[in-house]
């Protein structure tokens, strides 16, 4: 799924805490030029072709990924491979010269139906192409559970994985849903989806910005 999504106007840094001493500095004012997010690829067992889309929020401070077929299931009637589903989002982010960005936080929502003794896990990994630095965060839900779930990944300012200054590298977000039957009755089914109460499956990623060091 390819397409260009345009962010215009103000994009504010989401954290006001002071950046520790290093060659870059936190900014209070957004980049003055346009920021373009191009979706290079969206693929995985949790987001087959045509089941995922990306849109920019009205205030231009975040983008949302919406799914329509992101479901992990285990137990009775489940395919042996259905216990784990994933979706990898590969983005090309065009930023104004002299600026770089990171994903400051992400909000995930869904519904889970877990039998007693079963477990569901949502995991997300964030990394730039060619970089050894990866941020990975997991959230676990235990049965009995029959309700909507919500999880937020939030990173301290000093620990954000920033795009390299002056280098164009794709940004990857790999999400995963996993259901483990554990000690639950194998004749019963447990499942976990990434969706909201209205049936849409959506994830919101919030952007943070900083200024690159000036060249002498």
């Amino acid at each position: 799924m390819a397409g260009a999504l345009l962010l215009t106007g103000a994009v504010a840094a989401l954290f006001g805490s002071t950046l520790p001493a290093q060659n870059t500095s936190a900014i209070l004012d957004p980049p003055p030029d346009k920021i373009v997010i191009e979706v290079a690829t969206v693929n995985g067992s949790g987001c087959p072709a045509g089941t995922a889309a990306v849109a920019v929020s009205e205030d231009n401070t975040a983008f949302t990924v919406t799914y329509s077929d992101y479901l992990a299931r285990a137990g009775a009637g489940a395919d042996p491979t259905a216990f784990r589903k994933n979706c990898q989002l590969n983005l090309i982010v065009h930023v104004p010269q002299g600026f770089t960005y990171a994903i400051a936080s992400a909000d995930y929502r869904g519904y889970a139906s877990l039998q007693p003794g079963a477990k569901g896990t949502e995991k997300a990994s964030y990394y730039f192409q060619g970089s050894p630095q990866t941020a990975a965060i997991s959230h676990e839900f235990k049965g009995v559970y029959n309700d909507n779930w919500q999880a937020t990944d939030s990173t301290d300012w000093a620990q954000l994985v920033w795009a390299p200054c002056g280098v164009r590298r794709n940004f990857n977000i790999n999400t995963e849903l996993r259901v483990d039957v554990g000690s639950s009755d194998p004749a019963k089914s447990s499942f976990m989806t990434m969706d909201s109460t209205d049936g849409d499956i959506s994830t919101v990623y919030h952007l943070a910005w900083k200024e690159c060091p000036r060249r002498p």
Side-chain angles (χ1 to χ4, degrees), residues 4 46 64-65 73 83 109 117 146 154 166-167 175-177 185 193 197 202 212:
T64 302
V65 183
R73 183 183 175 192
F83 75 98
R109 295 178 179 85
N146 286 284
S154 183
V167 178
T175 58
E176 173 185 326
L177 292 180
D185 185 347
T193 68
T197 54
S202 58
C212 290

Side-chain angles (χ1 to χ4, degrees), residues 68-106:
S68 61
D69 190 21
Y70 205 155
L71 167 70
R73 183 183 175 192
D79 186 278
T81 62
F83 75 98
R84 178 187 178 274
K85 294 295 179 71
N86 83 297
C87 184
Q88 177 147 321
L89 180 66
N90 185 283
L91 301 174
I92 302 172
V93 182
H94 305 269
V95 301
Q97 185 175 3
F99 291 90
T100 187
Y101 73 97
I103 301 297
S105 66

Side-chain angles (χ1 to χ4, degrees), residues 8 16 25 28 32-33 45 50 65 85 104 120 128-130 140 163-164 179 208:
T8 58
S25 59
L28 298 178
D33 299 329
S45 56
V65 183
K85 294 295 179 71
F128 287 95
Q129 183 179 6
E140 188 176 288
V179 176

Side-chain angles (χ1 to χ4, degrees), residues 5-6 36 41 64 87 118 138 148 150 152 154 156 188-189 199 208 210-211 215:
L5 301 173
L6 188 64
V36 177
T41 58
T64 302
C87 184
S138 297
N148 297 309
Q150 179 172 342
T152 298
S154 183
D156 291 339
K188 296 182 179 181
S189 176
K210 69 179 179 181
E211 192 169 12
R215 296 181 180 181

Side-chain angles (χ1 to χ4, degrees), residues 102-157:
I103 301 297
S105 66
D107 300 318
Y108 299 92
R109 295 178 179 85
Y111 186 86
S113 177
L114 304 173
Q115 298 295 328
K119 180 178 68 174
T121 303
E122 179 273 324
K123 180 180 178 180
S125 300
Y126 312 88
Y127 61 96
F128 287 95
Q129 183 179 6
S131 173
Q133 187 178 9
T134 301
I137 303 175
S138 297
H139 301 274
E140 188 176 288
F141 303 86
K142 295 182 178 180
V144 178
Y145 195 105
N146 286 284
D147 204 349
N148 297 309
W149 62 267
Q150 179 172 342
T152 298
D153 293 349
S154 183
T155 306
D156 291 339
W157 188 271

